[in-house]
Amino acid sequence: MATAKTRKPKKEDAPVARLALHDLKPPKGSHRGRIRKGRGPGSGIGKTSGRGGKGQTARAGKKIRPGFEGGQMPLIRRIPKRGFTNPFKQDAQVVNVRHLSLLAEGVEVTPDTLFGAGLVRRPDQPIKLLGMGDLKRKFLVKGVKVSASAKAKIEQAGGTIE
């Protein structure tokens, strides 16, 4: 148990200094002076100014392009190439039938209603309904691709697809 002699006396609460924009300063050591290249050997980056020796990379102006191997046949041209990747391909946004339970019964299922319910990210890109899960409500599906299993479940629940 601490005695009265070992306790530190309480300091009175000092008034808190008011903080203003002109008082703000960066932490000590967080900013360094700019580097002055090419100012002699004492600077540490004199003579070649951090560019190494002579040659293509030491010169001013345009640098070599990515993948350039000094005239050797570049790797991208050495490896075999096959097939084709369509740059315009749009993957369908997938919505499972079980997620339609978020919508009210009898609602017209369109890209806009699915977007409004937060089931798809973009209403202007292709959407496809898949048949995972159960469906207990009727829906009218318009403007959305539907898989065979999803079509069967929607029609079994009394819904229609246009």
Side-chain angles (χ1 to χ4, degrees), residues 6-74:
T6 59
R7 285 193 199 134
K8 290 185 179 178
K10 288 184 180 178
K11 284 186 180 178
E12 291 298 319
D13 290 335
V16 178
R18 192 165 170 186
L19 192 65
L21 284 175
H22 65 272
D23 293 330
L24 295 176
K25 289 186 174 68
K28 195 156 185 84
S30 67
H31 287 273
R32 302 172 76 177
R34 73 180 182 89
I35 295 170
R36 298 179 69 221
K37 291 184 178 177
R39 293 295 180 269
S43 70
I45 35 175
K47 195 184 167 205
T48 54
S49 302
R51 287 177 179 255
K54 302 175 208 170
Q56 191 172 16
T57 54
R59 309 286 183 233
K62 204 156 183 149
K63 297 283 184 211
I64 56 170
R65 69 179 181 276
F68 182 68
E69 297 183 23
Q72 174 177 307
M73 185 60 67

Side-chain angles (χ1 to χ4, degrees), residues 34 119 131 144:
R34 73 180 182 89
L119 295 173
V144 177

Side-chain angles (χ1 to χ4, degrees), residues 11 53 59 68 84 107 110 138 161:
K11 284 186 180 178
R59 309 286 183 233
F68 182 68
F84 169 75
V107 165
T110 63
K138 293 182 195 177
I161 299 164

Side-chain angles (χ1 to χ4, degrees), residues 1 3 11 13 16 31 35 40 70 83 88 105 119 125 139 156:
M1 189 163 145
T3 62
K11 284 186 180 178
D13 290 335
V16 178
H31 287 273
I35 295 170
F88 306 107
E105 187 169 354
L119 295 173
Q125 288 184 346
F139 290 106
Q156 185 182 355

Side-chain angles (χ1 to χ4, degrees), residues 93 111 115 120-127:
Q93 300 173 87
F115 177 70
V120 293
R121 287 180 184 265
R122 304 211 34 198
D124 57 335
Q125 288 184 346
I127 300 168

